[in-house]
Amino acid sequence: MLLEVNDIGITFGGLRAVMGFNMGVDKDEIVGLIGPNGAGKTTVFNLLTGVYTPTEGKIIFDQKDITGKKTNVINNLGIARTFQNIRLFKSMSVIDNVKVAYNQNMKYNELQGVFKFGLYKKEEAELHEKALNLLDVFGLKGEAEENAGNLPYGKQRKLEIARALGTGPKLLLLDEPAAGMNPSETAELMEIIRLVKDKFRVSILLIEHDMSLVMNICERLYVLDYGSLIASGPPEEIKNNQDVISAYLGE
Amino acid sequence: MNLFIDQMINGISVGSVYALVALGYTMVYGIVKLINFAHGDIIMVSSYFLMVFLRKAGLPFPLAILLSVALSGALGAIVEKLAYKPLRGAPRINVLITAIGVSILLQNVFAWVFKQDNPASMPALLDGAINIGGVSISKISVLTILVSVILMVTLSLLIKYTKMGKAMRAVSEDSGAAALMGINVDTTVSATFIIGSALAAVAGVLFASTYRLINPFMGSDFGLKAFIAAVLGGIGIIPGAMIGGFIMGVVESLAKGYVSTIFADTIVFTILIVILIFKPSGLLGKNIKEKV
C-alpha cells in the first residue's frame, strides 16, 4: 500500500468531523472518495496533507508515518493536491506557477540566482524546459507567460493539476476536479486523469460529485457520510449499495 | 535653477533611503499582512551598531558596515520568530499592537544602553563633493543614490527570477496553497524579514553617515515617512514602495527649499492625503485585490 489510513478522526470543538476512518491507496490506482455535501471529504484531504492534524489515528505514506507532519514536509514526501475552489497563484505567470512547485528540487543559491551564473543557469534552463513540457501535456504551453488569473476556468483547473505534478508526487489528490465543467469538458478531464496516471506514474485519489466520472475511471470507491465510512468497494458494488443510496437520497 | 537641481539631488538621495526602508514595510506586509511598526527602528539599531563598531571597536568602515547590516538583518528575523510568529493566525490588530510594543522596546533599550552617548555623533564615511557640470554634489549623496539603486535592482531580480523570489510571491498570494506545494512558509517569511531588515540597515548606515548624528528615537519619524511612502506607492507592491520613496524625498526636499523647512512635513502630508483621496490603494495599487 502506498497510502494507509488507520482509524483517523478529527474533532473541531465539539464537532466530530471525521471519525474512525480507514482507507488505502495502492500504487498506480485511481481511487474515488464520494459522499453527500458536508460528509467530510475535503476534511480527509486536509488531514492527509497536514493542513489539519488528526486528533486520533495514524497515516502511513510510503512506509513512513506522516501523522502530524507539516504540510510542506508531506508534500516533499510525495503527496500533492488540487483544490475545490481553485487556489492558483493568480498574479504569477502560468509557467511560474509550475516552476514554484519544482522549487524543492532546486539547488542553486540566491547569489547565483541574482547574478545568474553557475548552477543557476543550468538548473533554470532545465527547469524552464521541464515546466514547458509539463504545460504542453495540458495544452497550456501557448499561455505560459500569461497571468494564471487570466486563464479561462477550465484551463485554471488543468493548471492546478500541472502545478501539483510539478512537486513530483507519488500520490495526487484531486478535490472535485470536474466541478463547474460541462459534459464534454468532463470527458476530456477523464482522459487527462488517465494520462496523468500513466505518464507520471502517480496514484490518484479524487473527490467528485460527477458520478459518470467516478464510475468511469475509479477502480475503487470509498463512501463517507457524516464523517464515517459507510461503504467501500468497486464502483459496480457501490452503485447498488443500499446504505449509499439512502445516504444520497436521504431516506 | 541651481537651487532646484540641488534640491532635486537632495530629494532623490533622501528618497532613495526612504525607498529602501519602504521596501521592508511593503515586503513584510505583502507576505504576512502585518504593518511592522518596529521596522523603522532597525534604521536606528543599525546606526548604533555602526557607531559602536567604528568608535568603540575601531573597526574599518567596510567591516563595520557589513557587521551592522548582518546583525540588523538577524535582529529582524529574531523579532519575527519571537514576537510575530507565535501570533500567526491571531487577529491582525493583536500583531499590530505587538509590533508597536517591539518598537517601543527597541527604542528604550537603546536609549538606556546608550544614555551617555545620546545623541551620538558618527565619523564621516565620505567627505567632500564632486562637481558635475558646475553643480556640486556631495559624495555621500552620490553613494546613497548608487547603493540604493543597486540594491533595488538586485531585489527586483531576486523576486522575479530566483526560487526564493517565486516562493515569496507564492506565499504572499496564498500561504496555505504554497505550503501544499512544498514551500517552507516559515523559512520564506524569515527570509523576507532578513532582507527587509538588511535593507533598512543599509538605509540606517547611509542616513547616519549623511547626518552624522543619531539618537534612539530617530527610527520612528523616519520609519513613519517610509511607511507612508509604501502606502503612497501601494502597500504590498514592491515597485510602489520605490516610487513612493522617491516621491516623498523629492517633494519634501523641494518644499524645504522653496517654501520652508518648518512646513515641509505639512506640505508632504497634505499631498499624500490628496493622492490617497483619489487613489485610495496607492499609486500602483489596485482597488479590487491586494497582492505583491
Side-chain angles (χ1 to χ4, degrees):
Chain A
M1 277 281 164
L2 180 65
L3 175 75
E4 263 183 81
V5 174
N6 296 322
D7 271 322
I8 56 163
I10 184 166
T11 310
F12 299 111
L15 177 79
R16 301 192 74 188
V18 171
M19 56 200 126
F21 182 66
N22 287 292
M23 73 171 298
V25 178
D26 244 328
K27 281 211 165 67
D28 295 317
E29 216 185 359
I30 301 183
V31 176
L33 180 59
I34 63 171
N37 283 323
K41 303 182 295 295
T42 299
T43 305
V44 168
F45 269 25
N46 284 334
L47 288 166
L48 293 179
T49 50
V51 175
Y52 300 147
T53 304
T55 40
E56 59 212 60
K58 241 185 191 172
I59 304 168
I60 312 288
F61 177 71
D62 212 11
Q63 270 91 50
K64 284 183 208 79
D65 186 352
I66 59 162
T67 324
K69 285 236 183 335
K70 282 175 67 179
T71 320
N72 55 308
V73 175
I74 291 177
N75 176 271
N76 297 161
L77 288 173
I79 302 183
R81 71 177 286 183
T82 66
F83 303 90
Q84 197 175 332
N85 47 332
I86 299 174
R87 282 170 74 178
L88 287 169
F89 305 123
K90 293 196 174 65
S91 61
M92 290 167 70
S93 67
V94 168
I95 196 162
D96 274 359
N97 265 273
V98 174
K99 281 181 177 175
V100 81
Y102 281 110
N103 252 9
Q104 50 193 279
N105 302 316
M106 308 293 282
K107 296 195 174 56
Y108 68 83
N109 63 44
E110 300 309 323
L111 202 66
Q112 291 171 325
V114 171
F115 299 106
K116 301 193 180 177
F117 69 98
L119 206 49
Y120 174 87
K121 277 209 137 144
K122 185 172 157 275
E123 281 197 330
E124 280 287 326
E126 282 171 11
L127 171 66
H128 193 74
E129 193 68 23
K130 263 195 286 187
L132 276 181
N133 286 340
L134 182 56
L135 289 176
D136 200 22
V137 173
F138 293 89
L140 290 166
K141 200 175 175 181
E143 282 102 339
E145 299 302 330
E146 281 213 36
N147 258 9
N150 295 342
L151 289 183
Y153 181 82
K155 290 193 169 179
Q156 291 199 10
R157 286 239 168 252
K158 287 184 195 167
L159 178 57
E160 263 211 325
I161 300 177
R163 181 180 66 171
L165 287 170
T167 67
K170 296 179 187 126
L171 174 65
L172 179 62
L173 311 181
L174 303 174
D175 197 345
E176 296 197 27
M181 287 189 172
N182 64 34
S184 78
E185 285 171 327
T186 306
E188 192 197 339
L189 179 72
M190 280 193 256
E191 287 315 304
I192 291 176
I193 293 175
R194 284 205 186 91
L195 176 93
V196 161
K197 187 196 120 180
D198 295 337
K199 196 173 163 72
F200 296 91
R201 319 249 336 136
V202 291
S203 307
I204 292 171
L205 173 63
L206 58 88
I207 295 176
E208 190 47 71
H209 284 296
D210 187 316
M211 282 306 136
S212 70
L213 182 142
V214 170
M215 295 297 160
N216 242 305
I217 65 171
C218 293
E219 289 147 57
R220 284 187 306 121
L221 295 178
Y222 289 90
V223 190
L224 262 183
D225 192 26
Y226 292 110
S228 299
L229 191 66
I230 57 168
S232 66
E236 282 312 307
E237 254 176 54
I238 297 293
K239 217 190 280 185
N240 302 315
N241 183 304
Q242 211 45 54
D243 290 340
V244 176
I245 294 168
S246 57
Y248 268 94
L249 300 179
E251 268 175 54
Chain B
M1 195 58 202
N2 260 357
L3 175 68
F4 178 75
I5 294 173
D6 279 352
Q7 292 304 327
M8 277 305 282
I9 290 165
N10 215 340
I12 293 170
S13 165
V14 177
S16 61
V17 182
Y18 284 144
L20 284 183
V21 182
L23 281 169
Y25 278 109
T26 230
M27 286 172 71
V28 165
Y29 181 84
I31 210 149
V32 282
K33 300 289 173 283
L34 159 71
I35 308 291
N36 179 13
F37 271 112
H39 183 63
D41 297 297
I42 297 290
I43 305 164
M44 174 275 293
V45 170
S46 84
S47 304
Y48 269 97
F49 282 160
L50 183 67
M51 188 272 287
V52 169
F53 290 137
L54 288 173
R55 287 204 355 225
K56 312 261 150 120
L59 298 180
F61 252 111
L63 186 60
I65 291 174
L66 204 69
L67 278 175
S68 316
V69 171
L71 284 178
S72 307
L75 179 72
I78 292 167
V79 166
E80 190 271 328
K81 276 271 176 297
L82 294 181
Y84 305 147
K85 195 182 161 206
L87 287 163
R88 222 177 277 164
R92 275 195 218 171
I93 191 81
N94 299 13
V95 198
L96 189 76
I97 299 290
T98 307
I100 294 172
V102 172
S103 167
I104 295 171
L105 177 75
L106 286 176
Q107 290 173 9
N108 287 287
V109 165
F110 275 75
W112 174 64
V113 172
F114 293 98
K115 54 182 174 288
Q116 305 300 333
D117 218 352
N118 177 16
S121 64
M122 299 288 292
L125 170 62
L126 266 182
D127 261 332
I130 49 170
N131 212 306
I132 304 172
V135 186
S136 130
I137 308 168
S138 70
K139 283 184 185 160
I140 189 75
S141 292
V142 177
L143 181 75
T144 301
I145 296 169
L146 270 180
V147 168
S148 307
V149 170
I150 289 170
L151 286 177
M152 283 182 237
V153 171
T154 309
L155 179 72
S156 306
L157 292 175
L158 180 95
I159 287 174
K160 194 159 187 335
Y161 294 114
T162 71
K163 59 179 173 179
M164 189 201 284
K166 278 176 269 186
M168 284 175 173
R169 283 185 281 150
V171 171
S172 87
E173 209 165 318
D174 185 338
S175 60
L180 286 160
M181 296 307 133
I183 293 164
N184 191 329
V185 175
D186 291 341
T187 313
T188 310
V189 171
S190 293
T192 308
F193 271 86
I194 291 173
I195 294 171
S197 303
L199 291 175
V202 173
V205 167
L206 293 168
F207 185 83
S209 306
T210 307
Y211 297 98
R212 310 274 297 278
L213 218 51
I214 59 176
N215 74 72
F217 303 98
M218 64 192 256
S220 50
D221 186 43
F222 198 89
L224 183 66
K225 283 188 187 158
F227 167 60
I228 292 166
V231 174
L232 173 69
I235 188 116
I237 300 163
I238 283 168
M242 301 181 193
I243 293 169
F246 283 114
I247 292 177
M248 282 284 291
V250 169
V251 170
E252 183 185 276
S253 181
L254 290 179
K256 274 183 181 160
Y258 286 98
V259 190
S260 109
T261 313
I262 300 166
F263 286 115
D265 282 355
T266 316
I267 293 166
V268 171
F269 290 125
T270 309
I271 290 172
L272 290 173
I273 291 169
V274 172
I275 290 178
L276 288 179
I277 287 171
F278 292 103
K279 292 278 293 176
S281 46
L283 289 172
L284 300 190
K286 294 188 180 68
N287 284 327
I288 320 127
K289 52 184 177 183
E290 48 190 20
K291 61 184 180 187
V292 156

